[in-house]
Amino acid sequence: MSRITVLGILALATLSACKSISGANVTNYTAEHDLESTKPAACTNISGLSSQQNPADIFSGVKKCLAEGKYDKAAKLYFAAISYGSFDTKRVSDQTAHQAISVLRMNVLGSQPQDALNKLQSKLKSLSSDNTSLCGSLTKLGAPTYYPSYMIQHGMGAFSGQVAKNDLVENFDGKKAWQETLATIAHCQ
């Protein structure tokens, strides 16, 4: 079983668990710009995205595609959002901020009916088994070029007021991180 399939199954299991406790009283604290979408994506192919769109923007496109029943586009956008999020976890220094991607994923997928999740999972499996087109699209899109404030503001540094002097990892090698991201997330060679 591929890593993508295992991650997908774990994500669906987590979503199911979240749905079962959704009636619990929970207080949600947020910082300004936490998980902020500044350039929401449409339901489009990866070629319709910009390297200036962050995962919050791209997940809005996933949600739109799911609402329209366009599971193939939703799956492609999902891979783009997860790839950008993975890249950001490599460059954002506050480790507590890295959960931003999981929260974005749960915010979008947690409200979806099981049938839609099953159809999305099927498309994700299909894309991961024949990833040539996906890898080409992600490579052409390129690494993110935005400042990852959506993630930085999700970390404990944003809540405690003790923001690091530099929110980004020192001497970050973006080219290497993007290649590692593509190899890990979409299994691109």
Side-chain angles (χ1 to χ4, degrees), residues 13-131:
T14 301
L15 291 173
S16 296
C18 289
K19 284 183 180 182
S20 68
I21 61 169
S22 61
N25 287 334
V26 175
T27 302
N28 187 22
Y29 295 98
T30 60
E32 188 177 3
H33 307 296
D34 174 21
L35 307 178
E36 183 177 45
S37 172
T38 58
K39 298 173 182 76
C43 178
T44 184
N45 287 310
I46 293 172
S47 62
L49 296 176
S50 158
S51 63
Q52 282 290 305
Q53 289 175 294
N54 68 37
D57 298 326
I58 300 170
F59 269 116
S60 70
V62 172
K63 187 174 183 175
K64 290 172 188 172
C65 289
L66 292 173
E68 296 172 15
K70 297 179 179 175
Y71 301 103
D72 188 54
K73 286 184 178 182
K76 291 173 183 172
L77 290 178
Y78 180 88
F79 270 110
I82 296 298
S83 295
Y84 270 29
S86 177
F87 181 87
D88 290 339
T89 63
K90 295 176 188 315
R91 67 179 173 154
V92 171
S93 60
D94 183 352
Q95 298 282 319
T96 66
H98 297 175
Q99 292 180 21
I101 299 308
S102 296
V103 174
L104 287 169
R105 182 176 50 223
M106 286 188 340
N107 286 348
V108 170
L109 300 181
S111 63
Q112 297 299 316
Q114 191 62 48
D115 182 56
L117 293 174
N118 292 341
K119 289 176 180 174
L120 176 62
Q121 181 65 28
S122 176
K123 292 296 182 180
L124 290 169
K125 284 181 188 177
S126 177
L127 279 173
S128 64
S129 67
D130 181 12
N131 66 355

Side-chain angles (χ1 to χ4, degrees), residues 139-162:
T139 299
K140 187 172 182 180
L141 176 62
T145 57
Y146 54 81
Y147 183 77
S149 59
Y150 80 96
M151 182 178 279
I152 292 165
Q153 291 303 110
H154 187 73
M156 290 305 296
F159 292 100
S160 67
Q162 298 176 353

